[in-house]
Amino acid sequence: ANSRLQHEYVPSAHLSAACTCLAWAPPGGRQPPNKDGPQRKKRKSEVAEVDRPLDILAVGTAVGSILLYSTVKGELQSKLDGGHDSRVNCVRWHQDTCCLYSCSEDKHIVEWNTQTCKVKCKWKGDNSSVTSLCISPDGKMLLSAGRTIKLWDLETKEVYRHFTGHATSVSSLTFTTVKPINENKPFDGITGLYFLSGAIHDRLLSVWYVRSDRKEKNAVMSFTVTDEPIFIDLTVSEVKEEPVKLAVVCRDGQLHLFEHILNGYCKKPLTSNCTIQIATPGNDGDSTPKPVPILAAAFCSDKQSLLLVYGNTLQPIIEKVSLNTMESHICLIRDIQKVLSLKTDVAQTKVKTPIVNSDTKVLVPGIPGHSTAVKTPASGKEKKKNKRKPGEIGESIEERLEALDIDVSKVKTPGGLPQTDSFAVLLVQGLESNDAEILNRVLNTRKDNVIKNTVSRMPIHAVIPLLHELTKRLQGNPYSASLMVRWLKSVFTIHASYLSTLPDLIPQLGMLYQLMESRVKTLQKLSRLHGRLFILVTQVAASEAVHDVTETNQTAKLVYEDESSEEEGSDDEMIADKESDENWDEDEEKEEQSDEQDMTVEKEINGDSDLEPENESEEE
């Protein structure tokens, strides 16, 4: 009621066995609201038992084991092992027996006996991973889904019905009716019931009908929402005229409410009767209201009001809202900052931030040479003089450094610029505090030897943060990217041996690989474009130059044409004569050659070629 955390459980091996799914055990052999929130309508005999507190919680893990945790005792009750060898996707308790059903990425469904913690039965549920389960209202059938949906007979473990399912993995399965609408025929516990399914990345929730024959496998109706459904709750219809109420929370933080009487086939997808969103009021300096995501929603026992969970998952706010469903769109204004700030004020006062003078230099231990003086500002000597007692003769900093056997020329730099030692210190500081100013100052250096020395002197623990920072900056403008590549080169050459020891190096550098690939992919296209543009530009320049030349040439021709025309003409004629004589001679020679060739051919045919090879070559 007050949105306060009541109980927290962290598994001892929580890193190796991350929680993947949850389900409350039914109190006194009855089913409570389970993980996805579908609530079975309670019979009158059940109402008395509902008040019992829910105790046992089944927790499916990423490694295939299932933990049974008691919230009343606050400790792990038992561990179910040996059923799955991959991630558990869904766990479901049977209403009446103490059985637990689980499905996994390893394609199998397992029936557990929770008293003995042993596998009661295990069978293959699908050709791909099984992602969702749901037990029928009478407890004799089990729905399972990967992408296609199957209805199993729990006694024989055989498939009773197949349904088409979804294109992606099914994330939720729920029965929406307890009794069939047609009450004339005798009820066998399953025929005539409707159930609902939702899948990841799918904006349609499908409703399926269990028929007496095996003909129809497709959905009878569907509900459309704005994004992938992450949380579904519904009120089960018990009577023929009672509509099913459906609350669907989407990934985009909106809540959609549907109300529909399930009575057969409906071709068009049904849209929501009401959409609820939550936003901040938008005052206190920031005038734009911001959306607050709704995380989950569930119907209260009166079927009219809703419990809404919104905010962030670490500090959710739970609120009961009674709805006027006449409006198609409701936006609730909630100032979550005020609610959360009341909780966090106490914690904030304990933290004190030290006041640091702007001249102070913070040195991180563990960096070689961190004890040497980094900067020798001119004001340093004056300050020292003020502090000395009268009558004391003090040494200058230069003398002290000589006594420490440190090369003074290295430390005293023009303009008080920091050395590579302090660059390494600054870089580590900037990475730890995420200070853009310090990082810009260090990373914008162009000198290769400074970069090399800085990278070689930085501590090993700062290598990966530096790579992340460089990756971030590589995505910026090309100018900064060209600077960052120098740093990357140094990091990879100097720290290659350390990087090769990291087990998770590939995911760490994934973004960098992609960046490099995308940059290199465009290189070829860019060089082609560069070539074409270069040709265009040179042609344009050449044509302009030609235009200029022709104009000057024209004037020159007008000036000199008269004097040289006769000489030029006679020269041209002589050349022409020469050429014609040569051509004529060549023609004669060709004729002679052809005659001679004819003769040689004839002689060869007769078998007496009297021409020697040398003579032949001469003639040629």
Side-chain angles (χ1 to χ4, degrees):
N2 55 10
S3 302
R4 197 163 289 154
L5 184 66
Q6 190 173 331
H7 197 97
E8 188 166 18
Y9 164 58
V10 181
S12 57
H14 66 282
L15 293 174
S16 62
C19 168
T20 54
C21 51
L22 296 168
W24 287 102
R30 293 295 175 196
Q31 189 194 27
N34 53 21
K35 181 185 118 185
D36 287 322
Q39 275 178 312
R40 212 158 58 83
K41 183 78 175 71
K42 297 166 185 65
R43 301 196 193 96
K44 284 177 184 174
S45 59
E46 284 181 64
V47 177
E49 294 174 350
V50 170
D51 298 334
R52 288 192 198 179
L54 301 170
D55 176 20
I56 305 295
L57 190 62
V59 181
T61 63
V63 291
S65 57
I66 298 169
L67 311 173
L68 298 183
Y69 179 75
S70 167
T71 50
V72 175
K73 294 175 188 171
E75 61 184 28
L76 203 61
Q77 187 169 302
S78 51
K79 186 176 180 182
L80 309 178
D81 266 332
H84 297 293
D85 49 19
S86 187
R87 169 195 161 103
V88 180
N89 285 325
C90 184
V91 283
R92 286 281 177 269
W93 291 87
H94 196 280
Q95 296 94 299
D96 307 315
T97 62
C98 57
C99 283
L100 178 74
Y101 293 90
S102 63
C103 63
S104 163
E105 295 280 321
D106 64 8
K107 310 175 187 177
H108 285 82
I109 301 170
V110 174
E111 182 180 7
W112 300 88
N113 183 339
T114 53
Q115 302 293 327
T116 59
C117 299
K118 294 280 194 310
V119 176
K120 200 172 170 186
C121 183
K122 178 177 177 177
W123 72 96
K124 188 174 179 181
D126 209 323
N127 289 331
S128 59
S129 63
V130 186
T131 53
S132 194
L133 295 175
C134 180
I135 294 164
S136 66
D138 66 347
K140 290 178 182 174
M141 295 277 182
L142 174 77
L143 278 173
S144 80
R147 290 180 182 171
T148 57
I149 302 170
K150 294 177 182 176
L151 183 63
W152 300 86
D153 186 332
L154 283 179
E155 276 184 27
T156 60
K157 308 289 187 287
E158 287 175 355
V159 178
Y160 180 71
R161 290 282 182 275
H162 276 280
F163 299 94
T164 314
H166 295 258
T168 52
S169 310
V170 175
S171 56
S172 54
L173 283 172
T174 320
F175 275 94
T176 55
T177 49
V178 179
K179 292 177 186 171
I181 290 162
N182 185 1
E183 291 169 357
N184 305 336
K185 295 175 185 175
F187 179 44
D188 62 356
I190 192 73
T191 307
L193 295 190
Y194 288 91
F195 66 91
L196 178 89
S197 70
I200 58 169
H201 313 309
D202 193 344
R203 295 194 295 114
L204 285 178
L205 293 161
S206 302
V207 177
W208 312 82
Y209 180 62
V210 184
R211 297 173 179 274
S212 52
D213 56 5
R214 290 171 176 263
K215 284 179 187 173
E216 191 65 49
K217 293 181 180 181
N218 295 335
V220 288
M221 64 181 77
S222 56
F223 299 106
T224 174
V225 288
T226 52
D227 203 347
E228 175 191 333
I230 54 168
F231 197 95
I232 300 168
D233 188 40
L234 50 84
T235 62
V236 179
S237 105
E238 284 199 319
V239 220
K240 188 178 177 181
E241 289 77 25
E242 186 184 10
V244 170
K245 286 187 177 178
L246 186 65
V248 183
V249 179
C250 295
R251 197 169 285 289
D252 58 6
Q254 295 186 44
L255 167 65
H256 301 281
L257 297 176
F258 298 88
E259 196 170 324
H260 190 73
I261 298 171
L262 303 174
N263 51 3
Y265 185 72
C266 179
K267 194 176 180 183
K268 285 185 179 177
L270 302 165
T271 53
S272 60
N273 299 20
C274 179
T275 301
I276 299 172
Q277 286 175 291
I278 300 178
T280 55
N283 44 20
D284 305 332
D286 190 10
S287 57
T288 53
K290 291 189 175 65
V292 177
I294 299 175
L295 306 172
F299 286 102
C300 299
S301 51
D302 62 354
K303 292 194 178 186
Q304 294 302 321
S305 45
L306 270 172
L307 276 177
L308 294 184
V309 183
Y310 57 90
N312 62 4
T313 44
L314 294 172
Q315 288 181 313
I317 299 162
I318 300 166
E319 184 186 337
K320 189 173 180 177
V321 182
S322 55
L323 293 167
N324 168 26
T325 50
M326 298 304 286
E327 295 176 43
S328 63
H329 197 280
I330 301 170
C331 185
L332 306 171
I333 307 295
R334 298 285 182 271
D335 193 353
I336 59 164
Q337 290 304 322
K338 278 185 183 172
V339 181
L340 292 177
S341 60
L342 291 171
K343 294 182 185 178
T344 52
D345 271 351
V346 189
Q348 280 176 351
T349 52
K350 293 174 187 173
V351 182
K352 290 184 181 177
T353 49
I355 300 159
V356 181
N357 187 6
S358 57
D359 299 334
T360 313
K361 188 88 198 145
V362 182
L363 295 172
V364 180
I367 292 169
H370 73 92
S371 54
T372 62
V374 175
K375 232 176 180 180
T376 55
S379 56
K381 291 181 186 176
E382 292 164 20
K383 285 179 186 172
K384 293 277 183 201
K385 280 175 190 169
N386 298 344
K387 287 180 186 174
R388 277 193 209 106
K389 294 171 189 173
E392 269 190 23
I393 300 163
E395 302 172 277
S396 70
I397 288 180
E398 206 164 323
E399 288 163 359
R400 288 183 194 178
L401 290 176
E402 279 167 7
L404 282 168
D405 194 27
I406 289 172
D407 189 2
V408 185
S409 61
K410 276 187 189 173
V411 180
K412 285 180 99 178
T413 53
L417 278 170
Q419 286 304 106
T420 47
D421 268 359
S422 65
F423 257 143
V425 174
L426 277 173
L427 185 57
V428 174
Q429 274 180 21
L431 290 170
E432 284 177 356
S433 62
N434 211 354
D435 190 328
E437 199 175 327
I438 296 177
L439 288 171
N440 287 340
R441 186 177 165 192
V442 176
L443 295 175
N444 285 346
T445 47
R446 289 155 172 264
K447 295 178 182 173
D448 287 337
N449 61 336
V450 173
I451 293 173
K452 205 172 177 182
N453 292 339
T454 307
V455 171
S456 60
R457 288 176 182 176
M458 65 186 282
I460 275 185
H461 66 78
V463 172
I464 290 292
L466 175 62
L467 281 175
H468 287 320
E469 181 63 33
L470 291 173
T471 308
K472 209 190 304 176
R473 285 165 182 260
L474 271 171
Q475 296 168 8
N477 62 338
Y479 171 72
S480 71
S482 63
L483 288 174
M484 295 312 124
V485 168
R486 297 179 182 189
W487 282 91
L488 270 179
K489 186 181 172 185
S490 299
V491 171
F492 285 138
T493 47
I494 293 166
H495 293 293
S497 53
Y498 162 66
L499 289 170
S500 62
T501 61
L502 296 176
D504 59 341
L505 184 66
I506 292 171
Q508 293 268 26
L509 299 182
M511 179 72 84
L512 193 61
Y513 289 145
Q514 287 173 359
L515 264 176
M516 294 295 188
E517 274 182 28
S518 60
R519 287 275 165 103
V520 172
K521 269 181 191 169
T522 53
L523 180 67
Q524 200 175 359
K525 293 178 185 174
L526 282 173
S527 57
R528 281 182 194 163
L529 181 64
H530 179 263
R532 287 172 186 168
L533 286 174
F534 180 73
I535 290 169
L536 277 174
V537 170
T538 46
Q539 281 182 338
V540 169
S543 64
E544 283 175 1
V546 168
H547 283 310
D548 296 346
V549 170
T550 48
E551 285 171 16
T552 51
N553 285 0
Q554 281 171 0
T555 53
K557 276 179 184 170
L558 285 171
V559 176
Y560 294 109
E561 205 170 4
D562 288 353
E563 293 179 22
S564 61
S565 62
E566 291 174 16
E567 295 168 23
E568 279 178 11
S570 58
D571 288 351
D572 289 347
E573 283 166 3
M574 281 172 72
I575 291 163
D577 290 345
K578 275 184 186 174
E579 281 177 0
S580 61
D581 290 345
E582 282 167 11
N583 291 348
W584 186 68
D585 292 339
E586 278 172 13
D587 292 341
E588 281 188 348
E589 279 175 16
K590 277 180 189 171
E591 284 174 19
E592 285 171 13
Q593 273 182 354
S594 62
D595 292 343
E596 283 169 8
Q597 277 175 351
D598 291 345
M599 284 169 69
T600 53
V601 169
E602 282 175 22
K603 281 183 182 177
E604 276 171 5
I605 292 166
N606 300 335
D608 49 358
S609 172
D610 61 342
L611 286 170
E612 287 174 12
E614 292 172 23
N615 299 351
E616 280 184 297
S617 61
E618 278 172 13
E619 279 180 34
E620 279 168 21

